[in-house]
Amino acid sequence: WAELGYTGPYRVTPGRTGLVRTGLHEAVPGYTGPYRVTPGRTGPYRVTPGLPGYTGLYQVTPGRTGPYRVTPGYTGPCRRPGPWIGTAMERFVAGNRVALQDHARQQREIHVVMGNEACDLDSAVSALALAYFLAQTSPAPKAAFVPVLNIPRADFALRTETTFLLRDRGIPAASLVFRDEIDLGGLHHAGLLSLTLVDHHVLPGSADAALEEAVVEVVDHRPLERDRVAPCRVTVEPVGSCATLVTERILQGPPGVLDATTAALLHATILLDSINLSPAAGKVTPRDVACVSLLEERFPELPARDAVFGALQAAKFDVAGLTTEQMLRKDLKAISGDEGVVAISGVFEDLEVRLGAEGGNRGRERHAGDITVTPRALFSIQTFLLRPGLLQDLEAFCQARGYAGLVAMTVSFNERHEPTRKLAVYSTQEPLRSTLCRALEEATAPSLLLRPLPSPGPRVAAYAQGNAVAARKKVLPILRAALGGPGAAGAPEEEAVPPPTPMNSLVEECPLAQPVPPLCPQDVLERVSRIAVGQPPGSPK
């Protein structure tokens, strides 16, 4: 404890869990934001106003990196002592690693919720939110519910929009569990593993084949490539974001489970995945809109949609200083077939998003609640295909990972959130390159409307994609079929006649192809209540 009247700096010592009574820490009068205390810090702190979450009571915990954030410089005394409480989601994430270690040591069940190997924002937040919900609602849970980010920890810094949002919402990276930090195979062999897949439904590669036996639930928004038998619970429905399905699941659960942090994470993720609910981008559905509206109704303090989307877009397209290899790894998937393994990378280099009205705020920290984003996008002069040494970088990237080829897909958005897409096919094997190019050029479900572009060499074929709403999840089945991989024999995707909205939708009788209808949050809340009690959506009140 700091002595009463203490006015000098103090050090946070590892293992210390005492309460800071006085000293150099005080929220500025009227301050409503969080601050962070770093272990080993010996200097004074200044609290920056404007961030939500501070209550005047805190506890210094080693390794704690949120929801408190401080800046050096403040020299006033502390306001009052008290424990750090945090939201339910923050407490859940903070206890993840300890729960995992305790259950593994005691040979008790571990229920892992894991997203796909690209580990984009949708996968990461869906895993966190669903694991949190299961932990909160499972009766007398014997299992530890652990969200796992399906990448090595070293790759996390490449997911710039994910690191930004989690940091902004007080979720410390130190508390997260990554794929290289948990032995799923060993847990399964010991009979301790249950596995829920979010934002994907097929485990890629032979190394994970044995884990299929442990899958007890799937939540995804892509077309189902393979059937799963009972007792595996399957929720695969065509919405813009997997976070929408997780939001619906939480809203159907007990009241009070959804806290402010979880709501903010889901709200931001749906906005980013649906391109700020823009019909022009071709990704949003009425259910995405309904969930965003209901989250805003429940938590009116959520930042404005444009501010959230602008901040996340700026973070997502922030690739300054990344090498070609890092850019390709940033948003990477891989598919395998008779002709080998092909990587599909989402590349974000064509777009430059400027912060601040005059572009002079590049160095300021971005926060979803206070960011100023000028709705202006400029194409960089040096596009991905013109990077120096690109062909050598592509060859080294594929050789190091055993890829027979690579498909790079770029996307940018104008001020109206309308996408522009391009793609490039690379392989040193001419037959494979020709196979992939022919499949993409001749695709009809959907047609990509490709137009050839100049390429930097004979091993690369580049295209402008006329069908700008066909994102990677639409292109993957085309490539998979060309390679003769799993799902190649499946039926073509229904592009012209979308399926009707499922009966458990928050919006009834709205085909997914129709424009987004106006929604009343009270009506949505009433519909969720009916769903929770099993009452058909169209039944009388």
Side-chain angles (χ1 to χ4, degrees):
W1 292 69
E3 295 180 3
L4 291 175
Y6 174 70
T7 58
Y10 68 84
R11 177 184 296 274
V12 180
T13 307
R16 175 166 177 81
T17 58
L19 309 179
V20 177
R21 178 170 292 176
T22 64
L24 303 182
H25 304 269
E26 181 181 7
V28 175
Y31 173 65
T32 59
Y35 62 87
R36 176 167 57 237
V37 177
T38 307
R41 172 74 186 175
T42 58
Y45 297 83
R46 180 174 188 82
V47 181
T48 305
L51 303 177
Y54 180 67
T55 62
L57 308 176
Y58 63 90
Q59 182 176 22
V60 180
T61 308
R64 175 71 191 171
T65 59
Y68 307 121
R69 184 177 294 118
V70 295
T71 339
Y74 186 66
T75 56
C78 285
R79 180 176 291 180
R80 64 169 77 89
W84 172 77
I85 300 175
T87 65
M89 168 61 90
E90 290 168 346
R91 296 194 301 272
F92 166 74
V93 174
N96 270 337
R97 302 182 71 85
V98 173
L100 174 61
Q101 293 166 2
D102 288 347
H103 278 65
R105 184 175 60 253
Q106 299 168 14
Q107 296 290 291
R108 298 167 61 191
E109 181 186 357
I110 297 171
H111 189 134
V112 168
V113 182
M114 185 170 69
N116 64 47
E117 71 277 12
C119 195
D120 57 6
L121 184 66
D122 196 20
S123 276
V125 167
S126 294
L128 287 166
L130 185 57
Y132 160 76
F133 173 75
L134 294 174
Q136 297 292 317
T137 58
S138 296
K142 297 180 181 179
F145 292 92
V146 180
V148 172
L149 276 61
N150 198 4
I151 53 171
R153 178 176 287 274
D155 287 354
F156 187 51
L158 302 179
R159 275 61 177 181
T160 48
E161 72 277 16
T162 304
T163 57
F164 165 70
L165 180 62
L166 295 186
R167 181 176 63 248
D168 190 67
R169 287 297 161 182
I171 304 296
S175 297
L176 301 173
V177 178
F178 292 85
R179 181 63 189 271
D180 59 341
E181 298 173 337
I182 181 171
D183 183 5
L184 296 182
L187 292 174
H188 177 52
H189 183 72
L192 303 178
L193 180 66
S194 297
L195 186 58
T196 291
L197 305 180
V198 293
D199 203 27
H200 66 146
H201 55 268
V202 176
L203 289 168
S206 56
D208 286 342
L211 298 180
E212 292 283 356
E213 302 171 353
V215 176
V216 297
E217 183 173 4
V218 164
V219 180
D220 196 8
H221 62 131
R222 295 170 177 81
L224 195 63
E225 296 173 14
R226 51 164 292 184
D227 293 330
R228 290 190 177 273
V229 297
C232 181
R233 176 176 179 175
V234 177
T235 304
V236 175
E237 301 183 21
V239 292
S241 174
C242 187
T244 295
L245 302 178
V246 175
T247 301
E248 291 179 351
R249 176 84 165 271
I250 295 175
L251 292 174
Q252 294 172 30
V257 171
L258 183 64
D259 69 344
T261 299
T262 309
L265 293 174
L266 293 167
H267 178 259
T269 302
I270 297 171
L271 288 176
L272 182 65
D273 250 22
S274 64
I275 319 300
N276 205 17
L277 306 182
S278 170
K283 299 185 70 174
V284 68
T285 72
R287 294 169 69 176
D288 303 302
V289 178
C291 283
V292 168
S293 298
L294 188 52
L295 289 171
E296 293 169 346
E297 173 74 11
R298 293 271 188 97
F299 298 90
E301 69 275 16
L302 286 171
R305 296 175 185 179
D306 287 347
V308 173
F309 179 74
L312 290 174
Q313 278 289 89
K316 183 173 183 177
F317 285 91
D318 183 7
V319 296
L322 295 187
T323 65
T324 300
E325 186 261 352
Q326 289 174 322
M327 292 181 65
L328 294 173
R329 286 170 47 213
K330 183 173 168 16
D331 188 10
L332 178 68
K333 289 182 181 291
I335 56 175
S336 58
D338 298 338
E339 299 189 54
V341 181
V342 173
I344 301 93
S345 291
V347 177
F348 308 100
E349 188 179 31
D350 277 343
L351 190 68
E352 179 181 347
V353 178
R354 296 201 172 187
L355 303 182
E358 301 300 327
N361 296 328
R362 289 183 178 273
R364 70 185 290 265
E365 185 174 3
R366 297 185 297 264
H367 298 288
D370 65 3
I371 188 169
T372 300
V373 178
T374 301
R376 176 179 54 184
L378 302 176
F379 287 100
S380 64
I381 298 174
Q382 186 179 37
T383 63
F384 177 73
L385 291 178
L386 297 180
R387 290 175 68 89
L390 176 67
L391 294 180
Q392 294 87 341
D393 291 342
L394 295 178
E395 183 175 4
F397 180 81
C398 291
Q399 284 185 350
R401 290 161 179 79
Y403 296 142
L406 167 74
V407 177
M409 302 184 65
T410 67
V411 60
S412 60
F413 299 92
N414 62 20
E415 65 277 5
R416 296 183 300 277
H417 306 307
E418 297 167 340
T420 297
R421 297 185 185 273
K422 301 174 185 177
L423 60 84
V425 179
Y426 167 83
S427 179
T428 59
Q429 304 173 22
E430 196 281 332
L432 174 61
R433 189 172 62 253
S434 297
T435 296
L436 297 176
C437 291
R438 185 166 55 252
L440 294 170
E441 292 169 359
E442 298 176 357
T444 58
S447 173
L448 302 181
L449 305 177
L450 298 183
R451 177 172 54 84
L453 295 175
S455 70
R459 296 177 177 180
V460 178
Y463 301 91
Q465 184 177 314
N467 182 356
V469 299
R472 182 170 59 181
K473 69 178 181 179
K474 298 286 188 181
V475 175
L476 276 172
I478 299 172
L479 297 173
R480 195 173 281 118
L483 292 175
E493 295 178 291
E494 297 183 7
E495 187 74 7
V497 185
T501 303
M503 288 302 293
N504 66 340
S505 171
L506 300 179
V507 181
E508 58 193 69
E509 299 177 358
C510 293
L512 298 179
Q514 293 182 359
V516 177
L519 294 170
C520 173
Q522 289 77 12
D523 291 343
V524 174
L525 180 60
E526 178 184 338
R527 185 143 305 131
V528 169
S529 301
R530 293 188 189 181
I531 293 172
V533 299
Q535 187 177 1
S539 60
K541 296 182 180 178

